[in-house]
């Protein structure tokens, strides 16, 4: 029996999981820091790309940035909108995986730190927005992915108990939180969180380099 046997709910993170967007965030972070005459190494910018707004703010303020969270969020989102609307694509095999889930009658939810103004255009442009039954953000639940709230709320929204849900994430804390909520965890490789590759591979129920790795599992369950 496969890891998705008995799974009826499929909860997906967006950035770094469904779409290749973290490179955009690295570019945005670089522009903000250069605008404020603060130099960061390529490694530091690479690490920041996979962070939440709150984590980025704390990190950048430690380097001398003087922004409020709202200012950082607003400036980042404004620069990101065009990219999400026109230039960001799904990860390899993601559309096929969503279509197989739809064909088997599974329920799907998006659980993301990105606001609607970003996630809706990129999903619509890539023709998968209509495959989702629910959308929830960390802002809406009032907790980041260090906590399982967003995954539990997503499960509630699609009407599937947590133990019958699988969560797809590219960051370690998401995998840990979803696992603590009693959900099946599927870790998706992304170069921007590759430093946690070994740990995620050890603790997740399944680790994939590409969604193509799980297409046979979705077809056989």
């Amino acid at each position: 029996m496969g890891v998705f046997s008995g799974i009826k709910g499929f909860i997906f993170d967006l950035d770094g999981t469904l779409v290749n967007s973290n490179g955009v965030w690295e570019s945005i972070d670089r522009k903000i820091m250069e605008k404020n005459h603060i130099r960061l190494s390529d490694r530091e910018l690479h690490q920041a790309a996979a962070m939440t707004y709150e984590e980025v703010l704390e990190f950048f303020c430690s380097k001398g940035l003087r922004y409020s969270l709202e200012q950082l969020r607003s400036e980042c989102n404004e620069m990101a909108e065009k990219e999400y609307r026109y230039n960001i694509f799904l990860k390899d095999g993601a559309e096929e995986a969503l279509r197989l889930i739809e064909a088997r009658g599974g329920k799907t939810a998006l659980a993301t730190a990105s606001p609607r103004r970003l996630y809706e255009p990129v999903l619509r442009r890539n023709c998968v927005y209509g495959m989702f039954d629910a959308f929830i953000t960390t802002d809406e639940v009032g907790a980041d992915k260090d906590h399982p709230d967003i995954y539990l709320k997503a499960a509630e929204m699609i009407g599937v108990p947590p133990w019958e849900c699988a969560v797809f994430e590219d960051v370690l804390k998401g995998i840990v939180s979803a696992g603590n909520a009693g959900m099946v965890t599927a870790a998706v490789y992304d170069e921007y969180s590759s430093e946690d590759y070994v740990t995620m591979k050890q603790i997740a129920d399944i680790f994939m380099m590409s969604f193509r790795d799980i297409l046979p599992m979705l077809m056989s369950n």
Side-chain angles (χ1 to χ4, degrees), residues 51-148:
M51 294 180 183
T52 65
Y53 294 107
E54 291 81 4
E55 290 168 338
V56 168
L57 180 67
E58 182 179 0
F59 179 53
F60 284 0
C61 284
S62 74
K63 302 296 182 179
L65 187 69
R66 295 294 175 259
Y67 272 28
S68 67
L69 179 59
E70 188 51 43
Q71 183 180 4
L72 179 67
R73 192 193 305 269
S74 177
E75 194 165 323
C76 284
N77 289 343
E78 185 176 343
M79 286 193 280
E81 275 194 70
K82 182 178 179 181
E83 298 298 320
Y84 275 70
R85 189 171 297 276
Y86 299 111
N87 299 322
I88 293 175
F89 297 91
L90 295 174
K91 283 197 164 181
D92 185 41
E95 181 179 355
E96 292 90 333
L98 287 168
R99 293 197 181 282
L100 284 171
I101 291 167
E102 186 177 53
R104 63 187 274 171
K107 295 290 186 178
T108 53
L110 187 79
T112 177
S114 290
R116 178 178 288 274
R117 64 191 281 199
L118 297 184
Y119 74 69
E120 184 169 346
V122 72
L123 294 179
R124 286 194 183 279
R125 180 181 177 279
N126 285 281
C127 304
V128 296
Y129 182 83
M131 296 183 193
F132 286 90
D133 299 292
F135 305 88
I136 187 69
T137 69
T138 50
D139 276 355
E140 288 169 335
V141 296
D144 65 20
K145 290 184 175 180
D146 284 318
H147 309 278

Side-chain angles (χ1 to χ4, degrees), residues 37 81 162 173 186-187:
H37 310 291
E81 275 194 70
K173 66 181 178 181

Side-chain angles (χ1 to χ4, degrees), residues 16-17 19-22 50 91 170 188-194:
T17 299
V19 300
N20 280 309
S21 56
N22 283 332
K91 283 197 164 181
D170 69 304
V188 182
Y189 177 81
D190 186 75
E191 64 171 305
Y192 286 87
S193 52
S194 59

